[in-house]
């Protein structure tokens, strides 16, 4: 096994630092060559994908999203505001859409409504029911029954 001398370590550290500095400078040059609007759209696409991948996580919060993307919470809210949404509203809408899809799926007819809600990040069945009714005009149970009638009728 080869032992490195302190001089070897210093040379390797300097070389590593030079490589990293060069790579970072190249990345910064490439970053500044991309128009801000394009960078913003790409960031929002990454954020949307992150949210969708983590939709069932009850700890999916604006703070967690901002931290995962190395941006401030204020900037995250600004990005969503520019799209005409709030972060929490966008998450809730996507969760409701997933629940609606699952409730309409005949393969999941035996699964309890509360389990479907929990799968998509709703921790309170009462809150889920209220949010679902507000969004779709029917309770989750009524929606599920209506879908079953349409399938059989």
């Amino acid at each position: 096994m080869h032992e490195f001398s302190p001089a070897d370590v210093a040379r390797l550290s300097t070389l590593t630092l030079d490589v990293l500095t060069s790579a970072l400078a190249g990345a910064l040059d490439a970053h500044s060559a991309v128009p801000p609007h394009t960078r913003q759209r790409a960031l929002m696409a990454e954020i949307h994908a992150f949210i969708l991948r983590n939709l069932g996580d009850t700890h999916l919060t604006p703070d967690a999203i901002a931290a995962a993307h190395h941006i401030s919470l204020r900037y995250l809210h600004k990005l969503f505001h520019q799209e005409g949404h709030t972060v929490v509203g966008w998450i809730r809408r996507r969760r409701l859409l997933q629940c609606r899809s699952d409730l309409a799926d005949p393969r999941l007819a035996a699964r309890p409504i509360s389990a479907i809600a929990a799968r998509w990040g709703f921790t309170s069945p009462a809150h889920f029911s209220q949010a679902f009714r507000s969004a779709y005009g029917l309770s989750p149970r009524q929606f599920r029954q209506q879908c079953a009638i349409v399938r059989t009728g």
Side-chain angles (χ1 to χ4, degrees):
M1 182 170 177
H2 186 318
E3 296 277 330
F4 289 105
S5 71
D8 291 333
V9 171
R11 277 192 298 278
L12 285 172
S13 296
T14 302
L15 179 61
T16 302
L17 186 58
D18 288 345
V19 169
L20 290 174
T21 302
S22 178
L24 181 59
L28 288 175
D29 286 344
H31 181 76
S32 62
V34 178
H37 180 70
T38 302
R39 284 196 311 268
Q40 188 174 335
R41 283 187 20 219
L43 177 59
M44 280 307 290
E46 287 177 28
I47 291 169
H48 287 155
F50 176 84
I51 291 171
L52 294 175
R53 279 192 313 274
N54 294 283
L55 210 48
D57 183 353
T58 58
H59 297 101
L60 181 65
T61 63
D63 284 324
I65 296 164
H69 292 87
H70 311 288
I71 60 175
S72 71
L73 182 59
R74 182 179 174 150
Y75 186 57
L76 177 69
H77 285 298
K78 179 183 174 187
L79 291 171
F80 274 84
H81 180 74
Q82 289 173 346
E83 289 189 335
H85 306 286
T86 64
V87 180
V88 172
W90 200 88
I91 293 169
R92 182 178 43 251
R93 176 79 176 128
R94 293 306 170 276
R95 285 178 169 164
L96 285 168
L97 286 169
Q98 289 300 136
C99 289
R100 185 174 189 255
S101 176
D102 284 1
L103 290 168
D105 188 338
R107 296 169 298 178
L108 301 176
R111 183 168 293 168
I113 291 171
S114 60
I116 289 173
R119 175 182 179 204
W120 295 111
F122 287 99
T123 57
S124 163
H127 175 255
F128 166 67
S129 186
Q130 180 183 11
F132 192 92
R133 182 183 296 276
S134 178
Y136 302 113
L138 298 169
S139 71
R141 184 172 318 284
Q142 290 168 327
F143 177 78
R144 182 179 253 179
Q145 289 169 345
Q146 188 178 51
C147 289
I149 291 168
V150 168
R151 279 192 308 271
T152 60

